[in-house]
């Protein structure tokens, strides 16, 4: 029996990790699902992930608002580690970090390129290309822009003990080093309005977002650190 790991990158359940769930896995807003999400735009029973001949297959259960994998509307889809599943206002990352790293290694060994084209507003898969190969166009998607946009930088909390301040400092240093590596990997050609991002860097960006989501959930008191 296959196991499924899902990490919630965005939505009301941001930061939750559903680790090593035995298939079949159903996701929806009602009790009785393997994964119950607090999202009114998700159907009662929205999608199902099941094993078939060694592959994990996602099926949309005739949901009201549909399901997207890597930005593409799907009814039926074979999942690959690192795929991004969007349903309602929730965004899920499929696979553990080790599983995603293993997939990237397999792509390298196969001699497949790790860059390609992606438009966040329509991450359409090129014929013959791997669905995780893409080019990132910042600002092309209004929904992506709004979800990432923060008007002003928030103030740091006051009255922290030295130990608390040190812990927060370590968290920020970790995130800063991760983001700096990603920023330094980008090369924007002159007079171009978009740039290409390496698949490895994209997965690292998703991993960073997953860390942020988990930190925010713990700070908000949804989980005990």
């Amino acid at each position: 029996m296959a196991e499924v790991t899902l990490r919630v990158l965005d939505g009301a359940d941001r930061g939750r990790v559903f680790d090593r769930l035995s298939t079949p896995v159903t996701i929806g807003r009602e009790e009785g699902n393997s994964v119950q999400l607090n999202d009114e735009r998700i159907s009662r029973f929205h999608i199902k992930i099941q094993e078939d001949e060694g592959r994990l297959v996602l099926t949309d259960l005739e949901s009201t608002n549909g399901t997207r994998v890597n930005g593409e509307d799907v009814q039926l889809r074979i999942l690959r580690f690192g795929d991004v599943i969007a349903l309602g206002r929730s965004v899920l990352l499929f696979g553990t970090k080790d599983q995603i790293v293993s997939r990237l290694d397999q792509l390298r060994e196969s001699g497949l390129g790790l860059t390609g084209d992606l438009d966040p507003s329509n991450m359409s898969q090129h014929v013959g290309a791997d669905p995780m190969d893409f080019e990132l166009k910042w600002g092309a998607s209004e929904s992506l822009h709004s979800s990432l946009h923060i008007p002003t930088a928030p103030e740091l909390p006051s009255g922290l003990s030295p130990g608390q301040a040190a812990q927060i400092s370590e968290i920020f240093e970790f995130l800063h080093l991760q983001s700096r590596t990603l920023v330094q990997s980008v090369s924007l050609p002159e007079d171009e309005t978009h740039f290409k991002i390496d698949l490895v860097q994209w997965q690292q960006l998703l991993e960073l977002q997953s860390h942020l989501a988990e930190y925010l959930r713990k700070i908000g008191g949804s989980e005990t650190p």
Side-chain angles (χ1 to χ4, degrees):
M1 182 179 295
E3 295 181 328
V4 171
T5 294
L6 297 163
R7 289 179 281 172
V8 184
L9 300 181
D10 208 351
D13 296 282
R14 179 180 62 185
R16 293 187 68 183
V17 178
F18 300 91
D19 191 32
R20 301 187 182 283
L21 302 175
S22 297
T23 54
V25 172
T26 60
I27 302 175
R29 72 171 189 269
E30 280 204 353
E31 293 183 6
N33 285 284
S34 310
V35 175
Q36 183 183 11
L37 297 176
N38 298 307
D39 189 334
E40 72 277 5
R41 296 194 63 185
I42 290 178
S43 295
R44 295 169 54 247
F45 292 88
H46 198 105
I47 64 174
K48 181 178 183 179
I49 300 174
Q50 59 190 332
E51 184 181 12
D52 183 44
E53 297 184 355
R55 296 179 176 180
L56 289 171
V57 180
L58 179 151
T59 303
D60 182 276
L61 302 175
E62 299 183 356
S63 64
T64 301
N65 294 313
T67 303
R68 288 174 290 131
V69 175
N70 302 329
E72 182 179 356
D73 293 327
V74 299
Q75 292 292 329
L76 195 66
R77 180 66 172 263
I78 294 175
L79 290 176
R80 297 171 175 84
F81 299 127
D83 281 349
V84 178
I85 305 167
L87 54 162
R89 292 187 173 89
S90 302
V91 180
L92 312 177
L93 179 61
F94 174 65
T96 66
K97 182 176 181 179
D98 288 342
Q99 288 171 333
I100 294 172
V101 169
S102 178
R103 180 173 177 234
L104 295 177
D105 289 340
Q106 290 175 2
L107 288 175
R108 290 194 192 92
E109 292 172 2
S110 300
L112 297 178
L114 296 182
T115 58
D117 291 336
L118 174 142
D119 180 346
S121 62
N122 181 22
M123 292 189 270
S124 297
Q125 179 179 342
H126 293 292
V127 175
D130 187 271
M132 289 300 292
D133 295 347
F134 41 64
E135 179 179 43
L136 183 59
K137 301 180 180 179
W138 292 105
S141 166
E142 182 178 348
S143 61
L144 178 64
H145 176 76
S146 62
S147 66
L148 295 178
H149 178 63
I150 301 177
T152 58
E155 294 291 334
L156 287 171
S158 58
L160 296 174
S161 70
Q164 291 172 328
Q167 282 184 301
I168 291 180
S169 178
E170 286 185 347
I171 291 173
F172 286 164
E173 183 177 2
F174 166 75
L175 296 174
H176 178 261
L177 290 174
Q178 293 290 315
S179 61
R180 183 175 66 184
T181 300
L182 294 170
V183 169
Q184 291 178 344
S185 71
V186 173
S187 176
L188 183 61
E190 187 176 357
D191 298 327
E192 293 290 338
T193 58
H194 59 275
F195 58 86
K196 292 187 176 182
I197 183 170
D198 182 87
L199 177 56
V200 174
Q201 300 297 334
W202 172 255
Q203 292 295 171
Q204 289 178 349
L205 183 61
L206 292 177
E207 191 67 30
L208 178 60
Q209 188 178 12
S210 177
H211 281 300
L212 285 169
E214 291 177 34
Y215 281 138
L216 288 168
R217 185 172 183 82
K218 290 178 180 178
I219 291 172
S222 298
E223 290 184 3
T224 300

